[in-house]
PDB file of all heavy atoms in Angstrom:
ATOM      1  N   GLU W 220      -1.173  20.278   6.107  1.00 97.00           N
ATOM      2  CA  GLU W 220      -2.192  21.220   6.630  1.00 97.00           C
ATOM      3  C   GLU W 220      -1.526  22.564   7.022  1.00 97.00           C
ATOM      4  O   GLU W 220      -2.047  23.596   6.751  1.00 97.00           O
ATOM      5  CB  GLU W 220      -2.881  20.600   7.821  1.00 97.00           C
ATOM      6  CG  GLU W 220      -4.028  21.457   8.387  1.00 97.00           C
ATOM      7  CD  GLU W 220      -4.867  20.696   9.409  1.00 97.00           C
ATOM      8  OE1 GLU W 220      -4.707  19.504   9.574  1.00 97.00           O
ATOM      9  OE2 GLU W 220      -5.703  21.379  10.036  1.00 97.00           O
ATOM     10  N   ASN W 221      -0.328  22.520   7.624  1.00 97.00           N
ATOM     11  CA  ASN W 221       0.315  23.748   8.103  1.00 97.00           C
ATOM     12  C   ASN W 221       1.809  23.793   7.813  1.00 97.00           C
ATOM     13  O   ASN W 221       2.405  24.808   7.908  1.00 97.00           O
ATOM     14  CB  ASN W 221       0.137  23.887   9.590  1.00 97.00           C
ATOM     15  CG  ASN W 221      -1.330  24.055   9.974  1.00 97.00           C
ATOM     16  OD1 ASN W 221      -2.069  24.882   9.385  1.00 97.00           O
ATOM     17  ND2 ASN W 221      -1.802  23.274  10.957  1.00 97.00           N
ATOM     18  N   LYS W 224       3.596  26.390   5.689  1.00 98.00           N
ATOM     19  CA  LYS W 224       3.256  27.815   5.881  1.00 98.00           C
ATOM     20  C   LYS W 224       4.444  28.559   6.446  1.00 98.00           C
ATOM     21  O   LYS W 224       5.318  27.940   7.126  1.00 98.00           O
ATOM     22  CB  LYS W 224       2.079  27.907   6.862  1.00 98.00           C
ATOM     23  CG  LYS W 224       0.772  27.358   6.253  1.00 98.00           C
ATOM     24  CD  LYS W 224      -0.363  27.317   7.270  1.00 98.00           C
ATOM     25  CE  LYS W 224      -1.621  26.754   6.597  1.00 98.00           C
ATOM     26  NZ  LYS W 224      -2.689  26.523   7.589  1.00 98.00           N
ATOM     27  N   TYR W 226       4.789  30.400   8.898  1.00 97.00           N
ATOM     28  CA  TYR W 226       5.000  30.415  10.337  1.00 97.00           C
ATOM     29  C   TYR W 226       5.615  29.087  10.810  1.00 97.00           C
ATOM     30  O   TYR W 226       6.078  29.033  11.938  1.00 97.00           O
ATOM     31  CB  TYR W 226       3.723  30.773  11.105  1.00 97.00           C
ATOM     32  CG  TYR W 226       2.592  29.794  11.119  1.00 97.00           C
ATOM     33  CD1 TYR W 226       2.576  28.645  11.884  1.00 97.00           C
ATOM     34  CD2 TYR W 226       1.469  30.044  10.325  1.00 97.00           C
ATOM     35  CE1 TYR W 226       1.515  27.768  11.884  1.00 97.00           C
ATOM     36  CE2 TYR W 226       0.370  29.174  10.313  1.00 97.00           C
ATOM     37  CZ  TYR W 226       0.424  28.031  11.102  1.00 97.00           C
ATOM     38  OH  TYR W 226      -0.608  27.150  11.094  1.00 97.00           O
ATOM     39  N   HIS W 257       0.994  23.938  -0.058  1.00 98.00           N
ATOM     40  CA  HIS W 257       0.096  24.941   0.504  1.00 98.00           C
ATOM     41  C   HIS W 257       0.834  25.656   1.607  1.00 98.00           C
ATOM     42  O   HIS W 257       1.164  25.031   2.645  1.00 98.00           O
ATOM     43  CB  HIS W 257      -1.132  24.233   1.082  1.00 98.00           C
ATOM     44  CG  HIS W 257      -2.078  25.120   1.836  1.00 98.00           C
ATOM     45  ND1 HIS W 257      -2.985  25.927   1.229  1.00 98.00           N
ATOM     46  CD2 HIS W 257      -2.258  25.327   3.193  1.00 98.00           C
ATOM     47  CE1 HIS W 257      -3.713  26.590   2.157  1.00 98.00           C
ATOM     48  NE2 HIS W 257      -3.279  26.269   3.318  1.00 98.00           N
ATOM     49  N   TRP W 261       0.309  33.401   1.897  1.00 98.00           N
ATOM     50  CA  TRP W 261      -1.013  33.567   2.508  1.00 98.00           C
ATOM     51  C   TRP W 261      -1.173  35.038   2.726  1.00 98.00           C
ATOM     52  O   TRP W 261      -0.776  35.582   3.761  1.00 98.00           O
ATOM     53  CB  TRP W 261      -1.063  32.785   3.817  1.00 98.00           C
ATOM     54  CG  TRP W 261      -2.486  32.517   4.348  1.00 98.00           C
ATOM     55  CD1 TRP W 261      -3.631  33.159   3.892  1.00 98.00           C
ATOM     56  CD2 TRP W 261      -2.864  31.596   5.352  1.00 98.00           C
ATOM     57  NE1 TRP W 261      -4.706  32.665   4.610  1.00 98.00           N
ATOM     58  CE2 TRP W 261      -4.263  31.733   5.476  1.00 98.00           C
ATOM     59  CE3 TRP W 261      -2.169  30.698   6.146  1.00 98.00           C
ATOM     60  CZ2 TRP W 261      -4.984  30.951   6.407  1.00 98.00           C
ATOM     61  CZ3 TRP W 261      -2.892  29.914   7.040  1.00 98.00           C
ATOM     62  CH2 TRP W 261      -4.277  30.056   7.180  1.00 98.00           C
ATOM     63  N   TYR W 266      -2.426  36.279   9.247  1.00 97.00           N
ATOM     64  CA  TYR W 266      -1.433  35.195   9.266  1.00 97.00           C
ATOM     65  C   TYR W 266      -0.030  35.718   8.897  1.00 97.00           C
ATOM     66  O   TYR W 266       0.851  34.963   8.558  1.00 97.00           O
ATOM     67  CB  TYR W 266      -1.859  34.059   8.283  1.00 97.00           C
ATOM     68  CG  TYR W 266      -3.135  33.451   8.737  1.00 97.00           C
ATOM     69  CD1 TYR W 266      -4.363  33.786   8.118  1.00 97.00           C
ATOM     70  CD2 TYR W 266      -3.176  32.614   9.841  1.00 97.00           C
ATOM     71  CE1 TYR W 266      -5.575  33.253   8.562  1.00 97.00           C
ATOM     72  CE2 TYR W 266      -4.372  32.076  10.317  1.00 97.00           C
ATOM     73  CZ  TYR W 266      -5.574  32.392   9.667  1.00 97.00           C
ATOM     74  OH  TYR W 266      -6.743  31.862  10.140  1.00 97.00           O
ATOM     75  N   ASN W 306      -2.946  32.365  -1.339  1.00 98.00           N
ATOM     76  CA  ASN W 306      -4.092  31.923  -0.607  1.00 98.00           C
ATOM     77  C   ASN W 306      -4.831  33.135  -0.061  1.00 98.00           C
ATOM     78  O   ASN W 306      -4.210  34.011   0.567  1.00 98.00           O
ATOM     79  CB  ASN W 306      -3.562  31.016   0.539  1.00 98.00           C
ATOM     80  CG  ASN W 306      -4.672  30.277   1.278  1.00 98.00           C
ATOM     81  OD1 ASN W 306      -5.589  29.769   0.641  1.00 98.00           O
ATOM     82  ND2 ASN W 306      -4.569  30.243   2.593  1.00 98.00           N
ATOM     83  N   GLU W 307      -6.147  33.174  -0.240  1.00 98.00           N
ATOM     84  CA  GLU W 307      -7.035  34.067   0.477  1.00 98.00           C
ATOM     85  C   GLU W 307      -6.669  35.556   0.438  1.00 98.00           C
ATOM     86  O   GLU W 307      -6.684  36.223   1.486  1.00 98.00           O
ATOM     87  CB  GLU W 307      -7.149  33.609   1.957  1.00 98.00           C
ATOM     88  CG  GLU W 307      -7.671  32.218   2.090  1.00 98.00           C
ATOM     89  CD  GLU W 307      -7.712  31.684   3.527  1.00 98.00           C
ATOM     90  OE1 GLU W 307      -7.429  32.444   4.437  1.00 98.00           O
ATOM     91  OE2 GLU W 307      -8.003  30.496   3.718  1.00 98.00           O
ATOM     92  N   ASN W 349      -6.018  30.022  -4.407  1.00 99.00           N
ATOM     93  CA  ASN W 349      -6.872  29.256  -3.496  1.00 99.00           C
ATOM     94  C   ASN W 349      -7.659  30.206  -2.548  1.00 99.00           C
ATOM     95  O   ASN W 349      -7.072  31.127  -1.998  1.00 99.00           O
ATOM     96  CB  ASN W 349      -5.943  28.359  -2.617  1.00 99.00           C
ATOM     97  CG  ASN W 349      -6.690  27.328  -1.828  1.00 99.00           C
ATOM     98  OD1 ASN W 349      -7.557  26.615  -2.336  1.00 99.00           O
ATOM     99  ND2 ASN W 349      -6.393  27.227  -0.522  1.00 99.00           N
ATOM    100  N   TYR W 351     -11.686  30.804  -0.101  1.00 98.00           N
ATOM    101  CA  TYR W 351     -12.816  30.135   0.547  1.00 98.00           C
ATOM    102  C   TYR W 351     -14.174  30.688   0.183  1.00 98.00           C
ATOM    103  O   TYR W 351     -15.189  30.362   0.846  1.00 98.00           O
ATOM    104  CB  TYR W 351     -12.618  30.079   2.070  1.00 98.00           C
ATOM    105  CG  TYR W 351     -12.436  31.423   2.794  1.00 98.00           C
ATOM    106  CD1 TYR W 351     -13.554  32.153   3.199  1.00 98.00           C
ATOM    107  CD2 TYR W 351     -11.208  31.914   3.073  1.00 98.00           C
ATOM    108  CE1 TYR W 351     -13.426  33.335   3.878  1.00 98.00           C
ATOM    109  CE2 TYR W 351     -11.047  33.123   3.775  1.00 98.00           C
ATOM    110  CZ  TYR W 351     -12.151  33.832   4.149  1.00 98.00           C
ATOM    111  OH  TYR W 351     -12.006  35.024   4.844  1.00 98.00           O
ATOM    112  N   GLN W 385     -11.840  26.093  -1.670  1.00 98.00           N
ATOM    113  CA  GLN W 385     -11.563  25.391  -0.397  1.00 98.00           C
ATOM    114  C   GLN W 385     -12.678  24.459  -0.008  1.00 98.00           C
ATOM    115  O   GLN W 385     -12.468  23.337   0.379  1.00 98.00           O
ATOM    116  CB  GLN W 385     -11.249  26.399   0.678  1.00 98.00           C
ATOM    117  CG  GLN W 385      -9.969  27.148   0.424  1.00 98.00           C
ATOM    118  CD  GLN W 385      -9.585  28.087   1.561  1.00 98.00           C
ATOM    119  OE1 GLN W 385     -10.241  28.119   2.623  1.00 98.00           O
ATOM    120  NE2 GLN W 385      -8.515  28.842   1.368  1.00 98.00           N
ATOM    121  N   HIS W 387     -15.032  24.713   2.558  1.00 96.00           N
ATOM    122  CA  HIS W 387     -15.406  24.508   3.961  1.00 96.00           C
ATOM    123  C   HIS W 387     -16.914  24.864   4.014  1.00 96.00           C
ATOM    124  O   HIS W 387     -17.258  26.026   4.092  1.00 96.00           O
ATOM    125  CB  HIS W 387     -14.587  25.439   4.907  1.00 96.00           C
ATOM    126  CG  HIS W 387     -13.135  25.138   4.880  1.00 96.00           C
ATOM    127  ND1 HIS W 387     -12.596  23.986   5.432  1.00 96.00           N
ATOM    128  CD2 HIS W 387     -12.082  25.815   4.380  1.00 96.00           C
ATOM    129  CE1 HIS W 387     -11.271  23.969   5.272  1.00 96.00           C
ATOM    130  NE2 HIS W 387     -10.930  25.067   4.658  1.00 96.00           N
ATOM    131  N   GLU W 420     -10.015  21.837   0.180  1.00 98.00           N
ATOM    132  CA  GLU W 420     -10.072  21.719   1.645  1.00 98.00           C
ATOM    133  C   GLU W 420     -11.465  21.302   2.137  1.00 98.00           C
ATOM    134  O   GLU W 420     -12.018  21.898   3.042  1.00 98.00           O
ATOM    135  CB  GLU W 420      -9.674  23.063   2.309  1.00 98.00           C
ATOM    136  CG  GLU W 420      -8.364  23.597   1.822  1.00 98.00           C
ATOM    137  CD  GLU W 420      -7.958  24.922   2.526  1.00 98.00           C
ATOM    138  OE1 GLU W 420      -8.600  25.317   3.496  1.00 98.00           O
ATOM    139  OE2 GLU W 420      -7.026  25.554   2.001  1.00 98.00           O
ATOM    140  N   TRP W 462     -10.094  18.184   4.069  1.00 98.00           N
ATOM    141  CA  TRP W 462      -9.212  18.873   5.015  1.00 98.00           C
ATOM    142  C   TRP W 462      -9.095  17.941   6.241  1.00 98.00           C
ATOM    143  O   TRP W 462      -9.501  18.204   7.336  1.00 98.00           O
ATOM    144  CB  TRP W 462      -9.719  20.230   5.399  1.00 98.00           C
ATOM    145  CG  TRP W 462      -8.641  21.230   5.747  1.00 98.00           C
ATOM    146  CD1 TRP W 462      -8.553  21.928   6.951  1.00 98.00           C
ATOM    147  CD2 TRP W 462      -7.442  21.583   5.018  1.00 98.00           C
ATOM    148  NE1 TRP W 462      -7.404  22.713   6.970  1.00 98.00           N
ATOM    149  CE2 TRP W 462      -6.718  22.518   5.788  1.00 98.00           C
ATOM    150  CE3 TRP W 462      -6.933  21.232   3.791  1.00 98.00           C
ATOM    151  CZ2 TRP W 462      -5.486  23.091   5.361  1.00 98.00           C
ATOM    152  CZ3 TRP W 462      -5.747  21.759   3.325  1.00 98.00           C
ATOM    153  CH2 TRP W 462      -5.069  22.661   4.119  1.00 98.00           C
ATOM    154  N   TRP W 470      -9.731  20.944  12.466  1.00 95.00           N
ATOM    155  CA  TRP W 470      -9.530  22.296  12.916  1.00 95.00           C
ATOM    156  C   TRP W 470     -10.837  22.924  13.397  1.00 95.00           C
ATOM    157  O   TRP W 470     -10.852  23.850  14.201  1.00 95.00           O
ATOM    158  CB  TRP W 470      -8.938  23.170  11.753  1.00 95.00           C
ATOM    159  CG  TRP W 470      -9.950  23.428  10.654  1.00 95.00           C
ATOM    160  CD1 TRP W 470     -10.454  22.474   9.746  1.00 95.00           C
ATOM    161  CD2 TRP W 470     -10.619  24.630  10.346  1.00 95.00           C
ATOM    162  NE1 TRP W 470     -11.330  23.055   8.914  1.00 95.00           N
ATOM    163  CE2 TRP W 470     -11.457  24.378   9.244  1.00 95.00           C
ATOM    164  CE3 TRP W 470     -10.580  25.925  10.885  1.00 95.00           C
ATOM    165  CZ2 TRP W 470     -12.271  25.377   8.684  1.00 95.00           C
ATOM    166  CZ3 TRP W 470     -11.361  26.900  10.291  1.00 95.00           C
ATOM    167  CH2 TRP W 470     -12.205  26.646   9.200  1.00 95.00           C
ATOM    168  N   PHE W 474     -12.012  26.098  15.934  1.00 93.00           N
ATOM    169  CA  PHE W 474     -12.472  27.290  15.200  1.00 93.00           C
ATOM    170  C   PHE W 474     -13.948  27.561  15.432  1.00 93.00           C
ATOM    171  O   PHE W 474     -14.383  28.705  15.587  1.00 93.00           O
ATOM    172  CB  PHE W 474     -12.159  27.118  13.752  1.00 93.00           C
ATOM    173  CG  PHE W 474     -12.568  28.288  12.869  1.00 93.00           C
ATOM    174  CD1 PHE W 474     -11.746  29.423  12.809  1.00 93.00           C
ATOM    175  CD2 PHE W 474     -13.742  28.212  12.131  1.00 93.00           C
ATOM    176  CE1 PHE W 474     -12.145  30.513  11.988  1.00 93.00           C
ATOM    177  CE2 PHE W 474     -14.117  29.297  11.363  1.00 93.00           C
ATOM    178  CZ  PHE W 474     -13.323  30.414  11.282  1.00 93.00           C
TER     179      PHE W 474
HETATM  180  O1  9MR G 891      -6.475  23.694   9.510  1.00 89.10           O
HETATM  181  C1  9MR G 891      -5.482  24.704   9.709  1.00 89.10           C
HETATM  182  C2  9MR G 891      -5.260  24.933  11.177  1.00 89.10           C
HETATM  183  O2  9MR G 891      -4.694  23.814  11.769  1.00 89.10           O
HETATM  184  C3  9MR G 891      -4.379  26.151  11.401  1.00 89.10           C
HETATM  185  O3  9MR G 891      -4.325  26.500  12.756  1.00 89.10           O
HETATM  186  C4  9MR G 891      -4.900  27.320  10.589  1.00 89.10           C
HETATM  187  C5  9MR G 891      -3.942  28.505  10.687  1.00 89.10           C
HETATM  188  O4  9MR G 891      -2.712  28.207  10.071  1.00 89.10           O
HETATM  189  O5  9MR G 891      -5.076  27.011   9.255  1.00 89.10           O
HETATM  190  C6  9MR G 891      -5.952  25.936   9.008  1.00 89.10           C
HETATM  191  O6  9MR G 891      -6.050  25.686   7.633  1.00 89.10           O
HETATM  192  C7  9MR G 891      -6.591  26.758   6.829  1.00 89.10           C
HETATM  193  C8  9MR G 891      -5.884  26.682   5.482  1.00 89.10           C
HETATM  194  O7  9MR G 891      -4.539  26.751   5.633  1.00 89.10           O
HETATM  195  C9  9MR G 891      -6.433  27.779   4.576  1.00 89.10           C
HETATM  196  N1  9MR G 891      -7.858  27.737   4.466  1.00 89.10           N
HETATM  197  C10 9MR G 891      -8.603  27.689   5.727  1.00 89.10           C
HETATM  198  C11 9MR G 891      -8.106  26.530   6.570  1.00 89.10           C
HETATM  199  C12 9MR G 891      -8.920  26.428   7.833  1.00 89.10           C
HETATM  200  O8  9MR G 891      -8.720  27.610   8.600  1.00 89.10           O
END
Side-chain angles (χ1 to χ4, degrees):
E220 184 170 350
N221 296 311
K224 293 174 180 172
Y226 69 78
H257 172 81
W261 196 345
Y266 298 103
N306 189 43
E307 299 176 7
N349 191 49
Y351 59 86
Q385 293 185 4
H387 295 291
E420 306 181 13
W462 209 235
W470 70 290
F474 179 81

